């Protein structure tokens, strides 16, 4: 007769096989079954912590690593996993404490030493930024004289005058595909033009799909430029009649984030009334510093001002879009309070609070996730919260909605319909970070307001790894 301990080990081995195949959800399921059979084995928790890190369930990873440390205070993997997870959710001081313990127990670990040094830099940088923080910082556009900025005669790309054109966009796409960049003057022009456009839009844009029109809703693209081009190839380019809504997380992780942001911004400038952008949790300063966008701006355009202007434009983006009074589209999800309504979103002054912080409506709109259980629960990410089907039902009924459409999470099929059809997740970055085997998806909506889901596969891209411009300490998580 096989003992429960032997069964647990067998489940762990199954989990290890799933992990090798990059099937992180199956790995978590197997490790969970192993823990149910034997909850005293440290390796089950550290293995599940690593699988949760791959799934970006950093809060769960911290919990697993902490349990492993409780079972064995000398377990180096527990401290290591917890440090990585805390770094990922920007709890750098907590991570630093664990890196110190890892190095004390294993002083020869060169990777841990590198991560400790990087984490220490981030803690000191954050303290410095907090010390010099002012309530209303001056704009990075101050003193920027675009008229005096010359484009060299030997610049071999299309010229951008005072208005965006389709020809410029087509030329820009070809330049990007060939590994080239556009002139820095044009980057400034595009970002400043879009910043002004989106600043004037309401916090919740309200739009309709009329006869002769269609709308495509896309989820996270995360700097996966070649997959973004695949969406337009399969589904058609944006136009006045073919509207698009990109639901946040355009940048970070993928190593073509500037290309993605500039292409989306160029379409927004060309079609301001039919191309829409919602802010995601990665259109924020702290995430951009950690996950690569700030570093990419510096590496590709050799100027701090490029990132600073993007940052200002991100903070001006709307937080939600209401489609035909039937679907609320926002990046994260619903709220900690059942009394929150569409009117509360309309009234939210996003310009007063540039960054989402750790609490409040803006944070919840960018960070929360659905759960299968009723009610509300602690966030698996370690930031925000989770909301159940009853929460979604009450919100939709109170506000006369068919469903909430959100993004923010990988779905293996590219999308998932949950909460009795009232909560839809769409994710548009296939083979996410080159480490998952997920499809991408987008949603087409016509004047009948039916949701038509389209899946697509990842396409090849040049051999540049994800997070090429991100914090070195996060590279081992990819």
């Amino acid at each position: 007769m096989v003992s429960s301990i032997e069964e647990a080990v067998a489940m762990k081995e199954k989990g290890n096989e799933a992990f090798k195949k990059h099937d992180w959800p199956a790995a978590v399921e197997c490790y969970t079954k192993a823990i149910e059979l034997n909850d005293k084995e440290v390796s089950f928790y550290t293995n599940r912590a690593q699988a949760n890190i791959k799934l970006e369930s950093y809060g769960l990873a911290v919990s697993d690593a902490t349990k492993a440390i409780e079972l064995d205070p000398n377990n180096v993997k527990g401290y290591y996993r917890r440090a990585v997870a805390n770094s990922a959710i920007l709890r750098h001081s907590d991570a630093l404490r664990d890196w110190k313990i890892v190095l004390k127990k294993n002083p020869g670990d060169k990777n841990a030493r590198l991560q400790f040094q990087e984490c220490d830099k981030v803690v000191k940088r954050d303290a410095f930024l907090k010390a010099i923080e002012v309530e209303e910082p001056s704009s990075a556009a101050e003193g920027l004289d675009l008229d005096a900025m010359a484009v060299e005669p030997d610049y071999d790309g299309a010229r951008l005058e005072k208005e965006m054109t389709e020809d410029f966009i087509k030329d820009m796409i070809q330049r990007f595909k060939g590994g080239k960049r556009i002139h820095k003057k044009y980057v400034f022009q595009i970002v400043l033009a879009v910043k002004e456009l989106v600043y004037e839009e309401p916090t919740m844009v309200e739009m309709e799909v009329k006869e002769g029109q269609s709308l495509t809703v896309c989820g996270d693209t995360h700097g996966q430029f070649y997959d973004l081009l695949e969406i337009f190839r399969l589904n058609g380019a944006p136009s006045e009649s073919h509207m698009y809504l990109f639901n946040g997380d355009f940048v970070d992780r993928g190593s073509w984030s500037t290309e993605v942001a500039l292409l989306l911004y160029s379409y927004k400038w060309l079609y301001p009334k039919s191309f829409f952008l919602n802010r995601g949790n990665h259109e924020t300063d702290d995430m951009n510093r950690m996950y690569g966008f700030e570093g990419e701006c510096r590496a590709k355009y050799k100027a701090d001002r490029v990132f600073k202007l993007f940052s200002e434009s991100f903070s001006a983006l709307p937080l939600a879009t209401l489609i035909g009074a039937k679907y609320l589209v926002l990046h994260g999800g619903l709220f900690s309070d059942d009394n929150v309504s569409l009117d509360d979103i309309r009234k939210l002054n996003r310009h007063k609070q540039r960054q989402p912080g750790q609490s409040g409506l803006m944070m919840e709109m960018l960070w929360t996730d659905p759960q299968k259980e009723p009610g509300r629960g602690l966030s698996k990410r370690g930031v925000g919260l989770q909301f159940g089907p009853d929460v979604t039902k009450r919100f939709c009924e109170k506000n006369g909605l068919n469903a909430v459409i959100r993004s923010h999470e990988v779905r293996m099929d590219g999308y998932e319909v949950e909460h009795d059809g009232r909560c839809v997740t769409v994710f548009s970055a296939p083979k996410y970070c080159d480490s998952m085997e997920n499809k991408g998806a987008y949603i087409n909506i016509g004047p009948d307001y039916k949701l038509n889901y389209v899946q697509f596969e990842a396409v090849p891209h040049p051999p540049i790894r994800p997070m090429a411009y991100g914090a070195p300490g996060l590279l081992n998580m990819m």
Side-chain angles (χ1 to χ4, degrees), residues 222-237:
H222 272 303
Q224 296 186 195
F225 176 70
Y226 295 88
D227 296 314
L228 172 61
L229 294 184
E230 181 70 354
I231 293 174
F232 293 144
R233 186 189 74 81
L234 293 170
N235 198 51

Side-chain angles (χ1 to χ4, degrees), residues 88 103 260 263 292 339 451 455:
L103 287 174
V260 168
L263 180 54
N339 292 317
L451 304 183
Q455 297 172 301

Side-chain angles (χ1 to χ4, degrees), residues 10-190:
M11 289 309 305
K12 174 193 171 183
E13 293 305 319
K14 283 187 179 180
N16 291 347
E17 288 302 313
F19 192 94
K20 289 175 186 174
K21 295 175 182 175
H22 293 184
D23 189 348
W24 321 125
V28 167
E29 186 178 345
C30 290
Y31 296 140
T32 299
K33 288 178 180 176
I35 289 168
E36 288 169 354
L37 291 163
N38 177 14
D39 62 0
K40 303 300 181 187
E41 173 53 49
V42 173
S43 65
F44 298 169
Y45 292 98
T46 54
N47 285 16
R48 191 169 70 174
Q50 184 64 7
N52 275 319
I53 286 170
K54 294 291 188 180
L55 285 170
E56 300 182 19
S57 297
Y58 301 120
L60 295 180
V62 168
S63 178
D64 279 340
T66 300
K67 181 64 177 178
I69 292 165
E70 288 172 358
L71 289 170
D72 178 8
N74 291 312
N75 185 266
V76 176
K77 278 188 180 178
Y79 294 105
Y80 200 109
R81 303 277 193 264
R82 193 166 69 180
V84 168
N86 272 322
S87 290
I89 52 178
L90 312 179
R91 293 176 180 166
H92 303 298
S93 295
D94 292 340
L96 191 63
R97 283 194 291 271
D98 281 339
W99 288 128
K100 287 178 181 177
I101 295 171
V102 171
L103 287 174
K104 185 177 180 180
K105 295 181 180 298
N106 194 359
D109 189 329
K110 292 181 180 178
N111 188 52
R113 186 163 298 281
L114 170 64
Q115 296 203 56
F116 166 78
Q117 290 167 348
E118 289 298 323
C119 190
D120 190 44
K121 287 179 189 174
V122 172
V123 169
K124 290 173 180 174
R125 180 206 65 198
D126 288 350
F128 173 73
L129 291 173
K130 188 172 181 61
I132 64 170
E133 189 176 45
V134 294
E135 279 194 21
E136 292 188 20
S138 58
S139 171
E142 255 182 46
L144 184 61
D145 187 352
L146 291 178
D147 292 333
M149 191 177 293
V151 177
E152 296 77 9
D154 61 350
Y155 177 74
D156 61 351
R159 305 281 164 146
L160 179 61
E161 302 301 333
K162 298 296 183 183
E163 297 294 333
M164 181 56 63
T165 66
E166 286 190 18
D167 286 343
F168 181 86
I169 291 176
K170 288 176 183 176
D171 180 78
M172 180 174 66
I173 289 171
Q174 291 308 311
R175 290 184 69 79
F176 289 164
K177 286 171 70 175
K180 294 183 177 181
R181 295 165 197 133
I182 60 172
H183 197 278
K184 196 185 302 180
K185 175 178 179 177
Y186 300 152
V187 174
F188 291 145
Q189 276 185 265
I190 293 166

Side-chain angles (χ1 to χ4, degrees), residues 257-268:
S257 290
T258 54
E259 288 82 357
V260 168
L262 288 167
L263 180 54
L264 296 182
Y265 271 29
S266 295
Y267 275 127
K268 177 62 181 176

Side-chain angles (χ1 to χ4, degrees), residues 318-335:
L319 300 177
T321 302
L322 184 63
I323 302 172
K326 296 178 182 293
Y327 301 104
L328 175 67
V329 185
L330 73 173
H331 182 71
L334 297 181
F335 309 98

Side-chain angles (χ1 to χ4, degrees), residues 276-296:
F276 305 97
L277 301 169
N278 283 345
R279 189 179 188 179
N281 69 302
H282 276 267
E283 280 70 55
T284 55
D285 287 355
D286 50 6
M287 301 297 278
N288 293 159
R289 291 188 185 110
M290 195 72 177
Y291 288 93
F293 185 60
E294 181 182 40
E296 185 179 335

